[in-house]
């Protein structure tokens, strides 16, 4: 397995719409394993292939406290959704930024598993939010797109300032109160 580089906002490659996976192969399974390793190391609870500059419809997630429930969805499609839930979202591609976003509280998803078998699953709560968030990435959309233009500008400036400070400072920058649910 290999840890992959995560693209960061406003990298234009994050806006690429991912292509369908025609056949699940060993290469697909290796990508899934590498994405899980990258997600756990970040640390995060979800990661879409688009975020690691692979533009295929693949996402991984694990919302368990101990990393014991890895999930891989290939060509995911929401076929049913219900309810509204507002929650603080963060993103591995938009580091250290958290904002409230509205998502469906319950979803039913059709996808392929890591072996290429068709599956149907239901999710609610944090897992439902995570899957919807990662599916947005596959469409070239980020959670900041749900925010006002003013908030997006502020976030962009904050990230640019942090990057500038990081390149000027020989000491790594740490952020107090790191949020555990970065998607």
């Amino acid at each position: 397995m290999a840890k992959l580089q995560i693209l960061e906002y406003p990298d234009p490659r994050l806006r690429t719409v991912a292509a369908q996976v025609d056949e699940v192969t060993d290469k697909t399974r290796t990508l899934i394993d590498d994405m899980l390793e990258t997600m756990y190391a970040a640390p995060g609870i979800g990661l879409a292939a688009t975020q690691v500059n692979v533009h295929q419809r693949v996402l991984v997630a694990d919302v368990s406290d101990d990393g014991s429930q890895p999930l891989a969805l290939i060509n995911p499609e929401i076929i049913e959704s219900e309810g509204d839930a507002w929650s603080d979202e963060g993103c591995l591609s938009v580091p250290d930024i958290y904002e409230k976003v509205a998502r469906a509280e319950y979803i039913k998803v059709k996808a392929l598993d890591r072996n290429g078998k068709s599956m149907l699953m239901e999710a609610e709560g944090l897992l439902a939010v995570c899957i919807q968030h990662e599916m947005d990435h596959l469409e070239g959309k980020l959670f900041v797109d749900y925010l006002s233009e003013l908030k997006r500008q502020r976030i962009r400036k904050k990230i640019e300032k942090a990057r500038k400070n990081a390149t000027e400072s020989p000491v790594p920058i740490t952020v107090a109160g790191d949020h555990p649910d970065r998607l």
Side-chain angles (χ1 to χ4, degrees), residues 89-100:
E89 284 191 29
C91 181
L92 295 174
S93 291
V94 189
D96 305 317
I97 304 293
Y98 303 94
E99 292 288 339
K100 287 210 177 294

Side-chain angles (χ1 to χ4, degrees), residues 48-66:
T50 301
Q51 292 176 272
V52 293
N53 202 28
V54 176
H55 303 289
Q56 297 178 358
R57 297 189 68 77
V58 177
L59 69 83
V60 296
D62 188 341
V63 299
S64 68
D65 291 334
D66 60 0

Side-chain angles (χ1 to χ4, degrees), residues 8-181:
E8 291 187 2
Y9 176 77
D11 191 311
R13 295 172 291 181
L14 289 167
R15 300 302 184 173
T16 305
V17 176
Q20 288 283 111
V21 175
D22 294 326
E23 180 183 0
V24 177
T25 63
D26 286 341
K27 187 175 178 179
T28 310
R29 286 182 280 279
T30 298
L31 172 64
I32 289 167
D33 292 340
D34 291 347
M35 288 173 60
L36 284 165
E37 180 178 347
T38 303
M39 178 190 76
Y40 289 130
I45 61 170
L47 188 67
T50 301
Q51 292 176 272
V52 293
N53 202 28
V54 176
H55 303 289
Q56 297 178 358
R57 297 189 68 77
V58 177
L59 69 83
V60 296
D62 188 341
V63 299
S64 68
D65 291 334
D66 60 0
S68 63
Q69 298 173 9
L71 172 68
L73 299 177
I74 302 165
N75 299 334
E77 178 185 341
I78 295 175
I79 58 172
E80 188 178 321
S81 64
E82 292 177 11
D84 291 317
W86 284 88
S87 61
D88 277 335
E89 284 191 29
C91 181
L92 295 174
S93 291
V94 189
D96 305 317
I97 304 293
Y98 303 94
E99 292 288 339
K100 287 210 177 294
V101 176
R103 302 276 187 186
E105 189 172 42
Y106 160 88
I107 58 173
K108 186 181 283 188
V109 180
K110 180 175 92 171
L112 299 177
D113 68 12
R114 68 178 289 124
N115 297 311
K117 294 191 181 189
S118 184
M119 63 182 282
L120 194 61
M121 70 169 288
E122 297 179 33
E124 59 186 1
L126 183 57
L127 181 58
V129 168
C130 182
I131 291 170
Q132 291 170 85
H133 176 106
E134 302 312 331
M135 286 181 68
D136 274 354
H137 279 296
L138 301 178
E139 296 298 327
K141 188 172 186 175
L142 286 86
F143 87 99
V144 295
D145 296 340
Y146 291 95
L147 308 176
S148 70
E149 180 60 32
L150 179 61
K151 279 191 177 183
R152 282 194 304 274
Q153 287 175 5
R154 286 181 183 161
I155 289 168
R156 192 176 296 119
K157 286 179 184 178
K158 183 177 179 179
I159 290 171
E160 288 169 359
K161 182 178 178 181
R163 281 190 193 130
K164 181 180 178 196
N165 289 341
T167 59
E168 291 175 359
S169 172
V171 178
I173 296 174
T174 58
V175 177
D178 193 35
H179 198 281
D181 295 334

